[in-house]
Amino acid sequence: MGAQERQQKEKLILEASIKLFTEKGYLATKMDDVAKASKISKGLTYFYYKNKEDLYMAVTKKAFDELKDVFRDIIKVKGRNGLDMLIELSNNYFKFAKTNRMYYEAVLNFMGLVQLYNDESLRLKIDPLVLESEHFLKLLEVHHDCGKIGTQMVTQGIKDGSIRPELQAEATFYTIWAMLIGYEKLLGPIGYEGKDAKINLETWKPSFNRLLQDMLKGTFQAQKIQPVQGSLF
Amino acid sequence: MGAQERQQKEKLILEASIKLFTEKGYLATKMDDVAKASKISKGLTYFYYKNKEDLYMAVTKKAFDELKDVFRDIIKVKGRNGLDMLIELSNNYFKFAKTNRMYYEAVLNFMGLVQLYNDESLRLKIDPLVLESEHFLKLLEVHHDCGKIGTQMVTQGIKDGSIRPELQAEATFYTIWAMLIGYEKLLGPIGYEGKDAKINLETWKPSFNRLLQDMLKGTFQAQKIQPVQGSLF
DNA sequence: AAATATATTAAACTCAGGTCAGAATAAAGT
DNA sequence: ACTTTATTCTGACCTGAGTTTAATATATTT
């Protein structure tokens, strides 16, 4: 059994666990289930993956790679201004989070891990095997890649005039990302109001998008003030 | 033993677990530890709390109450405009998240729960005992209270002119909250870059605050356009 | 074909959340 | 005051799930 066959076996286990994690969630999925679904013995899964978290890290890697594709798919289409790219990113980001819920949760979980990782005093709370995992460092990179692609969009927007020029691209992009993450996190809780919900998933999103755009381009200038200015010259 | 004495005992267990959760985290804290720290038998903890999660819900209740205090402390001070209140809220929110890390994590965890709760197809993923917990409904209320207080700040800001009038108070506040949540979540991961980090905790925050303020008051109008307008009349 | 390395299994181990039968204590009834 | 009932409490036990390991089968090398 060469390295290639081994990779195939790993992939088999990985895909079985992705299916299970998606259906039942990480906690409810037992290593027994993974083994059964992969048609191998439970012990063997520990031959290919150090432990359950290591397996989850492998899943997370796939998840973050797909999220990165969302970023890449937008920037690779030419002929749009930066603002439009970011608006589409916002939409597709939410779509991703909704459609690939388990994947998105894995991404968020990873961000939580990195938060611990960055705080020396908290790092020891992370399972050492996770840090040793080949996927961990790769994930840090992919995370960073997403940041770079997003920053590129802002830079592009500043260049083409769709975003106000005094903004700092990188900080701005990460603020946008922060908004997306937080929005996703808050979405549910607010929807709860249910009966008299003036503010819920549907009604809130336009407001959110509007605020995001205003923040980036400075609506007052473009929509209200500009006409007045025009009459000046 | 009256109801009062019972409450005291509950409080004892609660405080022991808060200490342990803070020190070692939820997962690393064993019910044996809680029992030992409370100087009772393990079985008895299950007399006062249905299970570990129920205990955690009680902790979460304390956590969210304290977060609500952060909101209340700001709005109860009169003589400031709405925007300033929100800026202070932002600062104090981050301070809270940093100082009371375990509490803040509990709050976030609860938000995750509510997200499941709102999706009928996912609700069954929540431990039924959690839904039965007396704290769960209370927590939904406290969450809502925070939203109301924050919305009040925006309303105030619109009234006193520190926030642009066309914004919808509720949607705007929840967008702000989303930004805070997301910022907190992203903070760590970005700080990681470490060596060449242009963007990290320190350098990013001013940018973030600036974007937040611009979004709310429309900086262009106030700083660049207004003077021109003034010359018109 | 023997020796070595790699896969694979099934059973055993461990740890931690949760239960339970019964003891100790307190409260209520007679 | 004594019995009965309800409440509080304990420690041993149960169970489930992640993980380890000793032993076996299969493949690779020499």
Side-chain angles (χ1 to χ4, degrees), chain B residues 76-149:
Chain B
K76 81 179 177 203
V77 177
K78 294 293 172 191
R80 270 178 313 173
N81 67 40
L83 183 60
D84 287 341
M85 284 181 180
L86 287 164
I87 291 166
E88 196 182 334
L89 178 66
S90 165
N91 291 330
N92 291 7
Y93 188 89
F94 293 136
K95 206 183 292 168
F96 177 85
K98 198 177 179 182
T99 326
N100 306 41
R101 188 180 191 82
M102 188 274 281
Y103 271 5
Y104 185 67
E105 270 166 19
V107 167
L108 282 187
N109 175 70
F110 174 71
M111 287 183 181
L113 270 187
V114 181
Q115 233 172 349
L116 294 181
Y117 182 73
N118 291 332
D119 192 327
E120 296 229 4
S121 64
L122 299 170
R123 195 177 297 176
L124 45 87
K125 285 193 182 179
I126 307 176
D127 180 348
L129 289 181
V130 166
L131 295 181
E132 284 170 31
S133 161
E134 53 168 328
H135 301 295
F136 191 78
L137 288 178
K138 283 189 199 159
L139 274 162
L140 288 174
E141 262 179 60
V142 178
H143 183 282
H144 191 229
D145 291 344
C146 290
K148 281 211 295 216
I149 296 171

Coordinates of all heavy atoms in Angstrom, one line a residue, chain B residues 76-149:
Chain B
K76 N -27.6 54.8 31.9 CA -28.1 55.5 33.0 C -27.4 56.8 33.3 O -27.9 57.6 34.0 CB -28.1 54.5 34.2 CG -26.8 54.4 35.0 CD -27.0 53.5 36.2 CE -25.6 53.3 36.9 NZ -25.6 52.0 37.7
V77 N -26.2 57.0 32.7 CA -25.5 58.2 32.9 C -26.1 59.2 31.9 O -26.0 59.0 30.7 CB -24.0 58.1 32.6 CG1 -23.3 59.4 32.7 CG2 -23.4 57.1 33.6
K78 N -26.7 60.3 32.4 CA -27.3 61.3 31.5 C -26.3 62.3 31.0 O -25.2 62.4 31.5 CB -28.5 62.0 32.2 CG -29.6 61.0 32.6 CD -30.3 60.5 31.3 CE -31.4 59.4 31.7 NZ -31.9 58.7 30.5
G79 N -26.7 63.1 30.0 CA -25.9 64.2 29.6 C -24.9 63.9 28.5 O -23.9 64.7 28.3
R80 N -25.0 62.7 27.9 CA -24.1 62.4 26.8 C -25.0 62.1 25.5 O -26.1 61.7 25.7 CB -23.3 61.2 27.1 CG -22.0 61.5 27.7 CD -21.2 60.3 28.0 NE -22.1 59.3 28.7 CZ -21.8 58.1 28.9 NH1 -20.6 57.6 28.6 NH2 -22.7 57.2 29.5
N81 N -24.4 62.3 24.4 CA -25.2 62.0 23.2 C -25.1 60.5 22.9 O -24.3 59.8 23.4 CB -24.8 62.9 22.0 CG -23.4 62.5 21.5 OD1 -23.0 61.4 21.5 ND2 -22.6 63.6 21.2
G82 N -26.0 60.1 22.0 CA -26.1 58.7 21.7 C -24.9 58.1 21.1 O -24.5 56.9 21.5
L83 N -24.2 58.8 20.3 CA -23.0 58.3 19.6 C -21.9 58.0 20.7 O -21.3 56.9 20.7 CB -22.5 59.3 18.6 CG -21.3 58.8 17.8 CD1 -21.5 57.5 17.1 CD2 -20.8 59.9 16.9
D84 N -21.8 59.0 21.6 CA -20.7 58.8 22.6 C -21.1 57.5 23.5 O -20.2 56.8 23.9 CB -20.7 60.0 23.5 CG -20.0 61.2 22.8 OD1 -19.3 60.9 21.8 OD2 -20.1 62.3 23.2
M85 N -22.3 57.4 23.7 CA -22.7 56.2 24.5 C -22.3 54.9 23.8 O -21.8 54.0 24.4 CB -24.3 56.2 24.7 CG -24.8 57.1 25.7 SD -26.6 57.0 25.8 CE -26.9 58.2 27.1
L86 N -22.6 54.9 22.5 CA -22.2 53.7 21.7 C -20.7 53.4 21.6 O -20.3 52.3 21.6 CB -22.9 53.8 20.3 CG -24.4 53.6 20.3 CD1 -25.0 54.1 19.0 CD2 -24.7 52.1 20.6
I87 N -20.0 54.5 21.6 CA -18.6 54.4 21.5 C -18.1 53.8 22.9 O -17.2 52.9 22.9 CB -17.9 55.8 21.3 CG1 -18.2 56.2 19.9 CG2 -16.4 55.7 21.5 CD1 -17.9 57.7 19.6
E88 N -18.7 54.3 23.9 CA -18.3 53.8 25.2 C -18.7 52.3 25.4 O -18.0 51.5 25.9 CB -18.8 54.6 26.4 CG -18.1 54.3 27.7 CD -18.7 55.1 28.8 OE1 -19.3 56.2 28.6 OE2 -18.6 54.6 30.0
L89 N -19.9 52.0 24.8 CA -20.4 50.7 24.9 C -19.4 49.7 24.2 O -19.0 48.7 24.7 CB -21.7 50.5 24.2 CG -22.3 49.1 24.1 CD1 -22.6 48.6 25.5 CD2 -23.5 49.0 23.3
S90 N -18.9 50.2 23.0 CA -17.9 49.4 22.3 C -16.7 49.1 23.1 O -16.3 48.0 23.3 CB -17.6 50.2 21.0 OG -16.4 49.6 20.4
N91 N -16.2 50.2 23.7 CA -15.0 50.0 24.5 C -15.2 49.0 25.7 O -14.4 48.1 26.0 CB -14.5 51.3 25.1 CG -14.0 52.2 24.0 OD1 -13.4 51.7 23.0 ND2 -14.1 53.5 24.1
N92 N -16.4 49.3 26.4 CA -16.6 48.5 27.6 C -17.0 47.0 27.2 O -16.7 46.1 28.0 CB -17.8 49.1 28.4 CG -17.3 50.4 29.0 OD1 -16.2 50.9 28.8 ND2 -18.2 51.0 29.9
Y93 N -17.6 46.9 26.1 CA -17.9 45.5 25.6 C -16.6 44.7 25.4 O -16.5 43.6 25.9 CB -18.7 45.6 24.3 CG -19.2 44.3 23.8 CD1 -20.5 43.9 24.2 CD2 -18.5 43.5 22.9 CE1 -21.0 42.7 23.7 CE2 -19.1 42.3 22.4 CZ -20.3 41.9 22.9 OH -20.8 40.7 22.4
F94 N -15.7 45.3 24.8 CA -14.4 44.6 24.6 C -13.7 44.4 25.9 O -13.1 43.3 26.1 CB -13.5 45.4 23.7 CG -14.0 45.4 22.3 CD1 -14.0 46.6 21.5 CD2 -14.5 44.3 21.6 CE1 -14.5 46.7 20.2 CE2 -15.0 44.4 20.3 CZ -15.0 45.6 19.6
K95 N -13.8 45.3 26.8 CA -13.2 45.2 28.1 C -13.8 44.0 28.8 O -13.1 43.2 29.4 CB -13.3 46.5 28.9 CG -12.3 46.7 29.9 CD -12.6 48.0 30.7 CE -12.4 49.3 29.9 NZ -12.9 50.5 30.6
F96 N -15.1 44.0 28.7 CA -15.8 42.9 29.4 C -15.4 41.5 28.8 O -15.1 40.6 29.6 CB -17.3 43.0 29.2 CG -18.2 41.9 29.8 CD1 -18.5 41.9 31.1 CD2 -18.6 40.8 29.0 CE1 -19.3 40.9 31.6 CE2 -19.3 39.8 29.5 CZ -19.7 39.8 30.8
A97 N -15.3 41.5 27.5 CA -15.0 40.2 26.9 C -13.6 39.8 27.3 O -13.3 38.6 27.4 CB -15.0 40.3 25.4
K98 N -12.7 40.7 27.5 CA -11.3 40.4 27.9 C -11.2 40.0 29.3 O -10.6 39.1 29.7 CB -10.4 41.6 27.5 CG -9.0 41.3 27.4 CD -8.2 42.5 27.1 CE -6.7 42.2 27.0 NZ -5.9 43.4 26.6
T99 N -11.8 40.8 30.2 CA -11.7 40.6 31.6 C -12.5 39.4 32.1 O -12.0 38.7 32.9 CB -12.2 41.9 32.4 OG1 -11.9 43.0 31.6 CG2 -11.5 42.0 33.7
N100 N -13.7 39.3 31.5 CA -14.5 38.1 32.0 C -14.6 37.1 30.9 O -15.7 36.8 30.4 CB -15.9 38.6 32.4 CG -15.9 39.7 33.4 OD1 -15.0 40.6 33.3 ND2 -16.8 39.7 34.3
R101 N -13.5 36.6 30.5 CA -13.4 35.7 29.3 C -14.4 34.6 29.4 O -15.2 34.3 28.4 CB -12.0 35.2 29.1 CG -11.9 34.4 27.8 CD -10.5 33.9 27.7 NE -10.3 33.4 26.3 CZ -10.0 34.2 25.3 NH1 -9.8 35.5 25.5 NH2 -9.8 33.7 24.1
M102 N -14.4 33.9 30.5 CA -15.3 32.7 30.6 C -16.8 33.2 30.5 O -17.6 32.5 29.8 CB -15.1 32.0 31.9 CG -15.8 30.7 32.1 SD -17.5 30.9 32.8 CE -17.2 31.1 34.5
Y103 N -17.1 34.3 31.1 CA -18.5 34.8 31.0 C -18.8 35.1 29.6 O -19.9 34.8 29.1 CB -18.6 36.1 31.9 CG -19.0 35.8 33.3 CD1 -19.1 34.5 33.8 CD2 -19.3 36.9 34.2 CE1 -19.5 34.3 35.1 CE2 -19.7 36.6 35.5 CZ -19.8 35.4 36.0 OH -20.1 35.1 37.3
Y104 N -17.9 35.7 28.9 CA -18.2 36.1 27.5 C -18.4 34.9 26.7 O -19.3 34.9 25.8 CB -17.1 37.1 27.0 CG -17.5 37.6 25.6 CD1 -18.6 38.5 25.4 CD2 -16.8 37.2 24.5 CE1 -18.9 38.9 24.2 CE2 -17.1 37.7 23.2 CZ -18.2 38.5 23.1 OH -18.5 39.0 21.9
E105 N -17.6 33.9 26.9 CA -17.7 32.7 26.1 C -19.1 32.0 26.4 O -19.7 31.5 25.5 CB -16.6 31.7 26.5 CG -15.4 31.8 25.7 CD -14.2 31.1 26.3 OE1 -14.4 30.2 27.1 OE2 -13.0 31.5 25.9
A106 N -19.5 32.1 27.6 CA -20.8 31.6 27.9 C -21.9 32.3 27.2 O -22.9 31.7 26.6 CB -21.1 31.7 29.4
V107 N -21.8 33.6 27.1 CA -22.7 34.4 26.3 C -22.8 34.0 24.9 O -23.8 33.8 24.3 CB -22.4 35.9 26.4 CG1 -23.2 36.7 25.4 CG2 -22.7 36.4 27.9
L108 N -21.6 33.9 24.3 CA -21.5 33.5 22.9 C -22.1 32.1 22.7 O -22.8 31.8 21.7 CB -20.0 33.5 22.4 CG -19.4 34.8 22.1 CD1 -18.1 34.6 21.5 CD2 -20.3 35.6 21.2
N109 N -21.8 31.2 23.6 CA -22.3 29.8 23.5 C -23.8 29.9 23.5 O -24.5 29.1 22.8 CB -21.8 29.0 24.7 CG -22.4 27.6 24.7 OD1 -22.1 26.8 23.9 ND2 -23.3 27.4 25.7
F110 N -24.3 30.7 24.4 CA -25.8 30.8 24.5 C -26.4 31.3 23.1 O -27.4 30.8 22.7 CB -26.2 31.8 25.6 CG -27.7 32.1 25.6 CD1 -28.6 31.1 26.0 CD2 -28.2 33.3 25.2 CE1 -29.9 31.4 26.0 CE2 -29.5 33.6 25.2 CZ -30.4 32.6 25.6
M111 N -25.7 32.3 22.5 CA -26.2 32.8 21.2 C -26.2 31.6 20.2 O -27.1 31.5 19.4 CB -25.3 33.9 20.7 CG -25.5 35.2 21.5 SD -24.5 36.5 20.8 CE -24.9 37.9 21.9
G112 N -25.2 30.8 20.3 CA -25.2 29.6 19.4 C -26.4 28.7 19.7 O -27.0 28.2 18.7
L113 N -26.7 28.5 20.9 CA -27.9 27.7 21.3 C -29.2 28.3 20.7 O -30.0 27.6 20.2 CB -28.0 27.7 22.8 CG -27.3 26.6 23.6 CD1 -27.7 26.6 25.1 CD2 -27.7 25.2 23.0
V114 N -29.3 29.6 20.8 CA -30.5 30.2 20.4 C -30.7 30.1 18.9 O -31.7 30.0 18.3 CB -30.6 31.7 20.8 CG1 -31.8 32.4 20.3 CG2 -30.4 31.9 22.3
Q115 N -29.5 30.1 18.2 CA -29.5 29.9 16.8 C -30.1 28.6 16.4 O -31.0 28.4 15.5 CB -28.1 30.0 16.2 CG -27.9 31.0 15.1 CD -26.5 31.2 14.7 OE1 -25.6 30.7 15.4 NE2 -26.3 31.8 13.6
L116 N -29.8 27.5 17.2 CA -30.4 26.2 17.0 C -31.8 26.3 17.4 O -32.7 25.7 16.6 CB -29.7 25.2 17.9 CG -28.2 24.9 17.6 CD1 -27.7 23.8 18.5 CD2 -28.1 24.4 16.1
Y117 N -32.1 26.9 18.5 CA -33.5 27.0 19.0 C -34.4 27.6 18.0 O -35.6 27.1 17.8 CB -33.5 27.9 20.2 CG -34.8 28.0 20.9 CD1 -35.3 26.9 21.6 CD2 -35.5 29.2 20.9 CE1 -36.5 27.0 22.3 CE2 -36.7 29.3 21.5 CZ -37.2 28.2 22.2 OH -38.4 28.4 22.8
N118 N -34.0 28.6 17.2 CA -34.9 29.2 16.3 C -35.1 28.4 15.0 O -36.1 28.7 14.3 CB -34.2 30.6 15.9 CG -34.3 31.5 17.0 OD1 -35.1 31.4 17.9 ND2 -33.4 32.5 17.0
D119 N -34.3 27.5 14.8 CA -34.4 26.6 13.6 C -35.1 25.3 14.0 O -34.4 24.5 14.6 CB -33.1 26.4 12.9 CG -33.2 25.7 11.6 OD1 -34.2 25.0 11.4 OD2 -32.4 26.0 10.7
E120 N -36.4 25.2 13.7 CA -37.1 24.0 14.2 C -36.4 22.7 13.9 O -36.4 21.8 14.7 CB -38.5 24.0 13.5 CG -39.4 25.2 13.9 CD -40.8 24.8 14.4 OE1 -41.0 23.6 14.5 OE2 -41.6 25.7 14.7
S121 N -35.8 22.7 12.7 CA -35.2 21.4 12.3 C -33.9 21.1 13.1 O -33.4 20.0 13.1 CB -34.9 21.4 10.8 OG -33.9 22.4 10.5
L122 N -33.4 22.1 13.7 CA -32.2 22.0 14.5 C -32.4 21.9 16.0 O -31.5 21.5 16.8 CB -31.2 23.1 14.2 CG -30.7 23.2 12.7 CD1 -29.9 24.5 12.5 CD2 -29.9 22.0 12.3
R123 N -33.6 22.3 16.4 CA -33.8 22.5 17.8 C -33.6 21.2 18.6 O -33.1 21.2 19.7 CB -35.3 22.9 18.0 CG -35.5 23.5 19.4 CD -36.9 24.0 19.6 NE -37.2 25.1 18.7 CZ -38.4 25.7 18.6 NH1 -39.4 25.2 19.4 NH2 -38.6 26.7 17.8
L124 N -33.8 20.1 18.0 CA -33.7 18.8 18.7 C -32.2 18.5 19.0 O -31.9 17.5 19.7 CB -34.4 17.7 17.9 CG -34.1 17.6 16.4 CD1 -32.8 16.8 16.1 CD2 -35.3 17.0 15.7
K125 N -31.3 19.3 18.4 CA -29.9 19.0 18.7 C -29.6 19.6 20.1 O -28.5 19.3 20.6 CB -29.1 19.7 17.6 CG -29.0 19.0 16.3 CD -27.9 19.5 15.4 CE -28.0 18.8 14.1 NZ -26.9 19.2 13.2
I126 N -30.4 20.4 20.6 CA -30.2 20.9 22.0 C -30.6 19.9 23.0 O -31.7 19.3 22.9 CB -31.0 22.2 22.2 CG1 -30.7 23.2 21.1 CG2 -30.6 22.8 23.5 CD1 -31.4 24.5 21.2
D127 N -29.8 19.8 24.0 CA -30.2 18.9 25.2 C -31.5 19.4 25.7 O -31.7 20.5 26.1 CB -29.1 19.1 26.2 CG -29.4 18.2 27.4 OD1 -30.5 17.7 27.6 OD2 -28.5 18.1 28.3
P128 N -32.5 18.5 25.7 CA -33.9 18.9 26.2 C -33.9 19.5 27.6 O -34.6 20.4 27.8 CB -34.6 17.5 26.2 CG -33.9 16.6 25.3 CD -32.5 17.1 25.3
L129 N -33.0 19.0 28.4 CA -32.9 19.6 29.8 C -32.5 21.1 29.7 O -32.9 21.8 30.7 CB -31.9 18.8 30.6 CG -32.3 17.4 31.0 CD1 -31.2 16.7 31.8 CD2 -33.6 17.4 31.8
V130 N -31.8 21.5 28.7 CA -31.4 22.9 28.6 C -32.6 23.7 28.4 O -32.8 24.8 29.0 CB -30.3 23.1 27.5 CG1 -30.2 24.6 27.2 CG2 -29.0 22.5 28.0
L131 N -33.5 23.2 27.4 CA -34.7 24.0 27.1 C -35.6 24.0 28.3 O -36.3 25.0 28.5 CB -35.4 23.3 25.9 CG -34.6 23.3 24.6 CD1 -35.4 22.6 23.5 CD2 -34.3 24.7 24.2
E132 N -35.6 23.0 29.1 CA -36.5 23.0 30.3 C -35.9 23.9 31.4 O -36.6 24.3 32.3 CB -36.6 21.5 30.8 CG -37.5 20.6 30.0 CD -37.4 19.2 30.5 OE1 -37.1 19.0 31.7 OE2 -37.5 18.3 29.6
S133 N -34.6 24.1 31.3 CA -34.0 24.9 32.3 C -34.7 26.2 32.5 O -35.0 26.9 31.6 CB -32.5 25.1 32.0 OG -32.0 26.2 32.7
E134 N -34.9 26.6 33.8 CA -35.5 27.8 34.1 C -34.8 29.0 33.6 O -35.3 30.1 33.3 CB -35.7 27.9 35.6 CG -34.4 27.8 36.4 CD -34.4 28.2 37.8 OE1 -35.2 29.1 38.2 OE2 -33.7 27.5 38.6
H135 N -33.4 28.8 33.4 CA -32.6 29.9 33.0 C -32.7 30.2 31.5 O -32.5 31.3 31.1 CB -31.1 29.6 33.3 CG -30.9 29.3 34.8 ND1 -31.0 30.3 35.7 CD2 -30.5 28.2 35.4 CE1 -30.8 29.8 36.9 NE2 -30.5 28.5 36.7
F136 N -33.1 29.2 30.7 CA -33.1 29.4 29.3 C -34.0 30.6 28.9 O -33.6 31.5 28.2 CB -33.5 28.2 28.6 CG -33.2 28.2 27.1 CD1 -32.0 28.0 26.6 CD2 -34.3 28.4 26.2 CE1 -31.7 28.1 25.2 CE2 -34.1 28.5 24.8 CZ -32.8 28.3 24.4
L137 N -35.3 30.6 29.3 CA -36.2 31.6 28.9 C -35.8 33.0 29.5 O -35.9 34.0 28.8 CB -37.6 31.2 29.4 CG -38.3 30.1 28.6 CD1 -39.6 29.8 29.2 CD2 -38.4 30.5 27.2
K138 N -35.3 32.9 30.7 CA -34.8 34.2 31.3 C -33.7 34.8 30.5 O -33.6 36.0 30.3 CB -34.3 33.9 32.7 CG -35.3 33.8 33.8 CD -34.7 33.7 35.2 CE -35.7 33.1 36.2 NZ -34.9 32.6 37.4
L139 N -32.8 33.9 30.0 CA -31.7 34.3 29.2 C -32.1 35.0 27.9 O -31.6 36.0 27.4 CB -30.7 33.1 28.9 CG -29.7 32.9 29.9 CD1 -29.1 31.5 29.8 CD2 -28.6 33.9 29.9
L140 N -33.2 34.4 27.3 CA -33.7 35.0 26.1 C -34.2 36.4 26.4 O -33.9 37.4 25.6 CB -34.9 34.2 25.6 CG -34.6 32.8 24.9 CD1 -35.8 32.1 24.6 CD2 -33.7 33.0 23.7
E141 N -34.7 36.6 27.5 CA -35.2 37.9 27.9 C -34.0 38.9 28.1 O -34.1 40.0 27.6 CB -36.0 37.9 29.2 CG -37.5 37.8 29.1 CD -38.1 37.7 30.5 OE1 -37.9 38.6 31.3 OE2 -38.8 36.7 30.7
V142 N -33.0 38.5 28.8 CA -31.9 39.3 29.1 C -31.2 39.7 27.8 O -30.9 40.9 27.6 CB -30.9 38.6 30.0 CG1 -29.7 39.5 30.2 CG2 -31.5 38.3 31.3
H143 N -31.1 38.8 26.9 CA -30.6 39.1 25.6 C -31.4 40.2 24.9 O -30.8 41.1 24.4 CB -30.6 37.8 24.7 CG -30.0 37.9 23.4 ND1 -30.7 38.5 22.3 CD2 -28.8 37.5 22.9 CE1 -29.9 38.5 21.3 NE2 -28.8 37.9 21.6
H144 N -32.7 40.0 25.0 CA -33.6 41.0 24.4 C -33.4 42.3 25.0 O -33.4 43.4 24.4 CB -35.0 40.5 24.5 CG -36.0 41.2 23.7 ND1 -37.2 41.7 24.2 CD2 -35.9 41.7 22.4 CE1 -37.8 42.4 23.3 NE2 -37.1 42.4 22.2
D145 N -33.3 42.3 26.4 CA -33.1 43.6 27.1 C -31.9 44.4 26.6 O -31.9 45.6 26.4 CB -32.9 43.3 28.6 CG -34.2 42.8 29.2 OD1 -35.3 42.9 28.6 OD2 -34.1 42.2 30.3
C146 N -30.8 43.6 26.4 CA -29.6 44.3 25.9 C -29.9 44.9 24.5 O -29.4 46.1 24.3 CB -28.5 43.2 25.7 SG -27.8 42.6 27.3
G147 N -30.6 44.2 23.7 CA -30.9 44.8 22.4 C -31.8 46.0 22.6 O -31.6 47.0 21.8
K148 N -32.7 46.0 23.5 CA -33.5 47.2 23.7 C -32.7 48.4 24.2 O -32.9 49.5 23.8 CB -34.6 46.9 24.7 CG -35.8 46.1 24.1 CD -37.1 46.4 24.7 CE -37.2 45.9 26.2 NZ -38.5 45.4 26.6
I149 N -31.8 48.1 25.2 CA -31.0 49.2 25.7 C -30.1 49.8 24.6 O -30.0 51.1 24.4 CB -30.1 48.7 26.9 CG1 -31.0 48.3 28.0 CG2 -29.2 49.8 27.3 CD1 -30.2 47.6 29.1

